[in-house]
Amino acid sequence: LLFATPPEHKGLGDPGSQVVAELIKLHAPRVAVVGGGAARQERLARTLVVCPGRLADGDYALVDLQAATVEPRHLPEPTAVAT
């Protein structure tokens, strides 16, 4: 699943959307990618919830579904092209 806002996580005290949390619990996907600020990951029931960070800041994440791991990454700065 893909959401623009993170789920509320009552156990961790994280703010977020209660509706997103309920949808994740109802459908129990292996992974849910959510928007938000800083890159992070957490478990919500059996679902791996991944916030890759802001792409505008060059942040993204590689998710290995088999190992259920997340590797935060950062895009390299663009280099100037000589004309």
Side-chain angles (χ1 to χ4, degrees):
L1 297 175
L2 177 66
F3 297 102
T5 188
E8 177 183 58
H9 198 298
K10 293 179 183 176
L12 297 177
D14 291 341
S17 169
Q18 185 177 2
V19 172
V20 169
E22 290 175 11
L23 285 169
I24 290 172
K25 289 177 186 175
L26 175 67
H27 295 287
R30 291 174 66 187
V31 68
V33 179
V34 301
R40 65 181 184 160
Q41 68 185 46
E42 62 186 39
R43 285 259 177 210
L44 187 58
R46 296 181 308 160
T47 300
L48 178 61
V49 179
V50 178
C51 177
R54 292 176 34 88
L55 185 57
D57 295 336
D59 297 329
Y60 68 102
L62 293 178
V63 178
D64 183 337
L65 292 177
Q66 295 260 320
T69 60
V70 179
E71 184 179 336
R73 295 277 185 101
H74 190 77
L75 294 172
E77 295 294 322
T79 57
V81 177
T83 57

